[in-house]
Amino acid sequence: MRQRLTAVTLAALVALPAVAPAQTVAEAQAFMDRAEKQLLELNVEGARADWVRSTYIIYDTEILGALGNERLIAATAKLATESTRFDKLPLPPELARKMKLLKLQLTLATPSAKAESAEATQIAAKMEGMYGTGKYCQAGGKCLDLDQITNIMRTSRNPAELLDVWNGWRTISPPMRPLYRRFVALSNKGARELGFADTGAMWRSKYDMPPDEFSRELDRLWQQVRPLYLSLHAYVRSRLREKYGAGAVPANGPIPAHLLGNPWAQTWDNIYDLVAPPHADPGYDLTKILIDRKTDYLAMVRYGERFFGSLGFAPLPPTFWERSMLVKPRDREVVCHASAWDVDTKDDLRLKMCIEVNAEDFITIHHELGHNFYQRAYNKQPFLFRDSANDGFHEAIGDTIALSITPEYLVKIGLLAHPSPESADLGLLMKRALEKVAFLPFGLLIDQWRWKVFSGEIQPEEYNKAWWALRLKYQGIAPPEARTEAEFDPGAKYHVPANVPYTRYFLADILQFQFHRALSRTAGCTGPLYRCSIYANQEAGKRLNNMLEMGASKPWPDALYALTGERQMDATAILDYFAPLKTWLDEQNKGKPVGW
Ligand code: X8Z
Ligand code: ZN
């Protein structure tokens, strides 16, 4: 019902082309068959150009990538507009869903005017290229790329050095500011041509519910987890204050953004050593284990592949190993930000990543492989259903698997000699919380900023001010030094110049715990969730696969139901998981300020 409602709304808003209304379901079906065939061809062509652009950034590949994208967007928009002819026709459910999805295909809608569509796609390619090739050149003349900066932020405990590279990475983005401004105008124009109020409204329409209801859902989920975040924030702040001094970290104000072990302060697990609960040593350090054992990048990917294999998934195809980019090439510029590809939407799976041997990348490999195994699971679906139930599902699969990387699992695969004692649980939970709980407000705020930028509520003259207001509001962090509108700090986060929606990661952070809870129970694990691993459990594998195979063929609550028996996104699973830590944190925070 909802699907048809959306379609009708769209029809009312879209300027209908002057064609006679179609009459029959057969006609609608023929249109859809043609549309899916054309979109498949253009998608594959576009993905090939995009792959080369991302793994070999030069002048020409940027143009070729933009061109492929432009063709694909133009064809998709044209088909979406044409499809409104069938809006009033009652259609069988599958066809109706395809009509709906066709109208929601685009992340970037470009204006129909040729010059403007070319400009929009060129700006997009250019901004991603600027990010990919971005470097901070220090006063001494040494230039650092993002991987080097990330490593410094991960390991350095010298505030001056941290401040230097934190500021340094943000020197790459001010030149993006005028481009981004223009990009917003053009993409909004394109979105409006398709009947959406703006690009943000288009993005919010992809969740099988009215866009405003989706916003309220997000708020509901955030309210569920906010107390947990506040407890973690207050505790981490007080420990950082001990480490860096009262002059550096306020007692009851925001945490300076450069002290949290990550260039964007989005995950904090790299500063575990600074905030570790006493007497709760996890007993191992995965980074150290990988390095000591001389595990290389290929072996790391094989571990991930074998986990999926243990659940009953077929091994990755030989072409995965031939065509993936797994390490940073020495001789050319690439987009290092990790991504998973399915170039022919069938079996040409690839991973693009600049793997380094550490625990963070070990987890990211599982994240990316989750995309690849999802892609392959839904490849028997018709083209428009070759997608996840919603984008949060796509981001949650690999992370769900990574939640099963428990000490017991590491023992099973021979990376650890003995499982950690129970006394280690608190330490392990803290580490996970620094990764998963710390991320929640960050996952939410990126698009809170972008949606307001797209709607015009945030004007270009206040891009940075509004950015830091949201960083403060949701995360309780502040820039280490005053920022001005001469900077463009959102551009220093990949997904902004690359135009990748971000709310998906917030959803995934919640969903993965829901998935983990359901699969753990399926696997017969009755203990605390943080001790459950679904490794080698075929039944859990089957249950997961059943959902993955559905792709986007059904509204996401149906997919969620198939896996969990629940129809709502629900944060009680993440709260259950961290419950013992929350109790401990609140104990530590007694008599100390919470919030900012
Ligand atoms: O971008 C990613 C993945 C690719 S989909 C590496 N992630 C977000 C980020 O890095 O900001 C994974 C978690 C959040
Ligand atoms: Zn991802």
Side-chain angles (χ1 to χ4, degrees):
M1 268 328 280
R2 220 171 243 152
Q3 301 157 27
R4 290 200 40 76
L5 264 181
T6 309
V8 171
T9 316
L10 270 167
L13 294 167
V14 169
L16 284 166
V19 279
Q23 302 299 330
T24 67
V25 173
E27 240 180 314
Q29 186 64 57
F31 164 81
M32 185 51 74
D33 292 346
R34 183 170 60 79
E36 285 196 287
K37 185 163 176 291
Q38 192 190 353
L39 287 179
L40 171 62
E41 278 165 19
L42 286 171
N43 258 287
V44 176
E45 214 174 279
R48 291 194 200 294
D50 239 9
W51 176 267
V52 181
R53 176 184 63 80
S54 306
T55 58
Y56 184 22
I57 307 176
I58 53 168
Y59 174 79
D60 305 270
T61 56
E62 226 165 72
I63 294 174
L64 292 172
L67 254 179
N69 225 346
E70 189 190 340
R71 279 198 212 111
L72 173 61
I73 293 170
T76 310
K78 187 158 175 280
L79 288 168
T81 308
E82 278 174 27
S83 74
T84 57
R85 291 192 274 152
F86 305 104
D87 281 352
K88 295 222 167 66
L89 189 67
L91 295 172
E94 184 176 308
L95 187 52
R97 182 155 178 86
K98 284 185 180 173
M99 291 287 180
K100 177 191 161 161
L101 292 178
L102 177 58
K103 297 177 175 78
L104 296 169
Q105 279 297 293
L106 296 175
T107 303
L108 164 61
T110 54
S112 48
K114 170 83 182 118
E116 287 180 330
S117 72
E119 187 186 358
T121 52
Q122 279 164 20
I123 292 177
K126 188 164 178 106
M127 287 194 299
E128 195 178 347
M130 289 163 86
Y131 186 95
T133 59
K135 277 172 203 58
Y136 162 45
C137 294
Q138 288 169 312
K142 188 174 178 223
C143 295
L144 302 174
D145 65 22
L146 179 57
D147 281 356
Q148 292 167 308
I149 289 171
T150 303
N151 275 329
I152 294 171
M153 300 233 43
R154 182 162 67 82
T155 53
S156 172
R157 302 293 177 252
N158 171 349
E161 185 183 27
L162 290 169
L163 177 63
D164 178 52
V165 294
W166 188 93
N167 273 322
W169 178 242
R170 283 157 182 77
T171 59
I172 68 141
S173 48
M176 293 175 193
R177 181 187 270 265
L179 296 174
Y180 196 73
R181 178 187 185 144
R182 179 75 182 139
F183 179 78
V184 168
L186 290 169
S187 78
N188 273 341
K189 190 167 178 197
R192 281 177 197 128
E193 284 185 21
L194 287 179
F196 298 96
D198 59 63
T199 301
M202 183 169 88
W203 290 5
R204 290 191 298 279
S205 301
K206 302 187 186 201
Y207 296 92
D208 295 305
M209 61 173 76
D212 291 350
E213 193 181 324
F214 178 63
S215 294
R216 283 196 297 277
E217 273 292 280
L218 286 179
D219 201 46
R220 176 179 68 78
L221 293 169
W222 171 235
Q223 293 309 328
Q224 268 187 297
V225 294
R226 191 166 167 271
L228 175 60
Y229 178 73
L230 287 180
S231 296
L232 180 70
H233 177 278
Y235 170 75
V236 167
R237 176 175 59 193
S238 76
R239 295 296 300 265
L240 288 178
R241 195 169 152 87
E242 285 163 24
K243 164 78 185 169
Y244 292 109
V249 182
N252 54 9
I255 303 175
H258 64 312
L259 302 178
L260 290 156
N262 173 278
W264 309 276
Q266 67 182 62
T267 47
W268 306 348
D269 41 322
N270 290 324
I271 57 153
Y272 174 76
D273 56 313
L274 299 182
V275 303
H279 318 301
D281 183 5
Y284 70 93
D285 172 352
L286 187 54
T287 298
K288 192 169 174 314
I289 294 174
L290 294 170
I291 291 171
D292 288 352
R293 296 175 59 103
K294 303 201 170 34
T295 313
D296 66 3
Y297 66 92
L298 275 177
M300 286 167 72
V301 183
R302 288 283 186 200
Y303 278 118
E305 183 193 32
R306 276 199 296 272
F307 197 126
F308 283 90
S310 85
L311 297 174
F313 291 88
L316 293 161
T319 50
F320 173 90
W321 303 98
E322 293 159 19
R323 297 175 191 164
S324 287
M325 184 196 92
L326 300 178
V327 281
K328 189 178 167 91
R330 262 173 298 195
D331 57 349
R332 61 185 202 264
E333 299 281 5
V334 303
V335 177
C336 268
H337 190 90
S339 53
W341 299 58
D342 181 7
V343 173
D344 65 359
T345 82
K346 282 201 283 290
D347 211 31
D348 191 349
L349 307 173
R350 303 180 198 181
L351 169 54
K352 179 182 70 57
M353 188 170 169
C354 302
I355 299 177
E356 304 213 2
V357 180
N358 60 47
E360 197 173 326
D361 279 9
F362 191 73
I363 303 285
T364 302
I365 287 168
H366 289 73
H367 173 96
E368 297 304 333
L369 291 185
H371 289 306
N372 283 140
F373 281 95
Y374 207 160
Q375 287 158 345
R376 191 166 58 185
Y378 57 58
N379 72 3
K380 303 229 164 31
Q381 293 283 353
F383 176 78
L384 282 170
F385 295 159
R386 285 181 208 166
D387 202 347
S388 52
N390 72 38
D391 54 4
F393 282 59
H394 228 313
E395 299 302 336
I397 301 307
D399 284 12
T400 302
I401 299 304
L403 288 178
S404 279
I405 303 178
T406 56
E408 287 74 16
Y409 165 70
L410 293 174
V411 170
K412 275 189 195 155
I413 62 169
L415 280 180
L416 193 62
H418 310 286
S420 325
E422 219 172 284
S423 63
D425 283 358
L426 193 61
L428 289 165
L429 271 177
M430 174 65 84
K431 217 173 204 170
R432 276 260 151 86
L434 293 169
E435 186 194 343
K436 303 294 182 185
V437 178
F439 181 79
L440 288 161
F442 186 80
L444 193 59
L445 78 85
I446 307 279
D447 284 349
Q448 298 295 316
W449 181 81
R450 261 191 302 205
W451 293 348
K452 288 195 167 88
V453 165
F454 285 129
S455 76
E457 196 179 325
I458 296 174
Q459 285 291 308
E461 296 72 34
E462 51 184 32
Y463 276 166
N464 230 28
K465 185 170 153 232
W467 172 259
W468 284 105
L470 289 165
R471 293 270 260 170
L472 177 65
K473 174 180 170 189
Y474 287 102
Q475 280 187 291
I477 69 160
E481 288 171 351
R483 307 297 287 172
T484 70
E485 297 302 326
E487 283 102 26
F488 181 53
D489 294 327
K493 175 65 199 165
Y494 172 74
H495 302 69
V496 174
N499 199 42
V500 179
Y502 210 83
T503 305
R504 56 183 65 184
Y505 302 107
F506 173 75
L507 298 178
D509 207 356
I510 308 258
L511 282 169
Q512 62 190 262
F513 287 90
Q514 241 177 309
F515 295 169
H516 178 67
R517 178 168 67 184
L519 293 173
S520 295
R521 298 309 177 225
T522 302
C525 182
T526 51
L529 285 175
Y530 52 86
R531 284 189 160 258
C532 294
S533 175
I534 62 165
Y535 178 66
N537 191 285
Q538 301 279 315
E539 229 179 300
K542 238 181 263 151
R543 197 161 180 144
L544 176 61
N545 188 52
N546 284 345
M547 182 185 85
L548 300 188
E549 278 182 353
M550 290 168 73
S553 63
K554 296 273 155 53
W556 65 260
D558 291 358
L560 183 60
Y561 185 79
L563 185 68
T564 66
E566 298 153 21
R567 294 197 153 270
Q568 265 212 328
M569 295 191 270
D570 172 22
T572 60
I574 187 172
L575 297 179
D576 282 359
Y577 188 101
F578 289 110
L581 179 74
K582 171 85 162 73
T583 307
W584 185 84
L585 287 170
D586 291 346
E587 198 58 41
Q588 310 307 306
N589 290 335
K590 267 204 184 123
K592 292 197 185 122
V594 172
W596 50 88

